[in-house]
Amino acid sequence: MTDVRAKFLIIAAASEDKKTSVYHVKQFRILNEREIYVFPPDKRSIGNHQELAKNRIIKSALKSIKLRGQFRNITITLSDDLQAIYLDSEGNPCFEGEYLEELPDLATPDLQQPHHIEQPSREQLPEWKPLKSVTNDIVLGKFNGKNCNASTWLTTLETECARLEIPEERYCEVIRLFIEGPVTDWYTANRVLLGTAIWGTWRQSFLDSFSNKGWSNNDEWRR
């Protein structure tokens, strides 16, 4: 087989019981190609990717992930065995006999849509003040994952945002200004995974990551 290089996104996610963290292989992309392919939720656990986990570079990446929410984008050359697992005979991305969903390429125009997209008028746009000027009035210390109770801290953040009449759809922007240390890795990962999802989704991810932190002490992920 010819050499094929691919980039895998690996993230530390909450287990089903929320008490431990597990490695998930979320997606991958063939280098020099624009398309990104996503693994189904039930096939993301590292336990489903045992051959990949044997790769020396992937092993090092897994060891470097210390906190839930952290992620690594890792490029490797696919061995013949890995090509057989992640590509069909024609080079199409697939996994366990299933062709993978392709993320929409926002950089590629939709030829079915008109070229002109009507923009909302100024009257339709919400009058939001610059966040930096508003958040200067928030009374809240920065959260680093260890210095205070995560649930209490998040509730205080929400209370302060409500007091200053910051729209809920901007809470995920506000929280970025009040975190530090390894928690910034959680935020970066969620910008990739959640994007502009509603605040409730961001909130749950935060609580899953920091309310009951912990790693499984066994090697269950290897099975």
Side-chain angles (χ1 to χ4, degrees):
M1 292 186 179
T2 58
D3 284 348
V4 177
R5 301 179 71 214
K7 177 173 288 188
F8 289 83
L9 172 60
I10 302 174
I11 186 169
S15 62
E16 290 186 4
D17 62 10
K18 310 297 184 184
K19 295 180 180 179
T20 59
S21 296
V22 293
Y23 299 116
H24 279 184
V25 183
K26 180 175 173 59
Q27 62 194 40
F28 84 107
R29 177 175 67 85
I30 303 300
L31 253 60
N32 300 322
E33 295 185 8
R34 299 175 65 175
E35 296 83 1
I36 296 175
Y37 296 92
V38 182
F39 294 101
D42 62 336
K43 296 182 179 180
R44 293 177 184 174
S45 170
I46 195 68
N48 293 100
H49 301 266
Q50 295 186 30
E51 191 65 30
L52 180 68
K54 295 177 184 177
N55 179 276
R56 175 181 57 82
I57 298 174
I58 296 295
K59 280 184 178 180
S60 297
L62 294 175
K63 290 180 180 179
S64 72
I65 301 176
K66 307 295 185 182
L67 184 68
R68 188 180 301 174
Q70 288 184 324
F71 69 97
R72 298 291 184 270
N73 272 305
I74 301 298
T75 299
I76 63 171
T77 298
L78 298 182
S79 64
D80 289 351
D81 288 340
L82 288 176
Q83 288 190 47
I85 292 172
Y86 296 104
L87 303 173
D88 69 7
S89 59
E90 297 296 328
N92 298 300
C94 61
F95 186 64
E96 295 184 350
E98 180 179 345
Y99 287 98
L100 300 176
E101 179 182 0
E102 180 182 340
L103 284 180
D105 186 354
L106 300 180
T108 303
D110 186 346
L111 299 180
Q112 302 300 319
Q113 298 296 326
H115 292 290
H116 174 71
I117 299 177
E118 184 177 353
Q119 299 295 327
S121 66
R122 292 185 63 86
E123 290 75 15
Q124 293 174 308
L125 293 172
E127 295 183 1
W128 286 344
K129 299 177 182 178
L131 273 184
K132 194 68 176 177
S133 64
V134 177
T135 54
N136 285 336
D137 295 326
I138 290 181
V139 182
L140 183 68
K142 289 195 173 184
F143 181 73
N144 64 16
K146 298 179 180 179
N147 56 343
C148 57
N149 179 274
S151 179
T152 301
W153 182 89
L154 188 62
T155 299
T156 302
L157 175 73
E158 293 171 325
T159 301
E160 288 291 287
C161 286
R163 178 177 67 84
L164 296 172
E165 299 182 346
I166 298 174
E168 187 174 287
E169 55 263 38
R170 304 200 75 185
Y171 285 11
C172 59
E173 299 176 57
V174 175
I175 196 172
R176 176 179 60 85
L177 303 174
F178 291 91
I179 56 175
E180 61 185 3
V183 186
T184 58
D185 289 328
W186 164 84
Y187 183 85
T188 302
N190 275 277
R191 291 298 295 178
V192 174
L193 298 175
L194 301 181
T196 57
I198 61 173
W199 170 246
T201 304
W202 277 81
R203 188 182 205 283
Q204 190 59 53
S205 173
F206 181 89
L207 295 177
D208 288 347
S209 298
F210 303 111
S211 290
N212 294 297
K213 291 191 302 180
W215 284 89
S216 174
N217 292 323
N218 57 41
D219 287 335
E220 183 177 355
W221 63 271
R222 296 181 183 274
R223 298 175 188 171

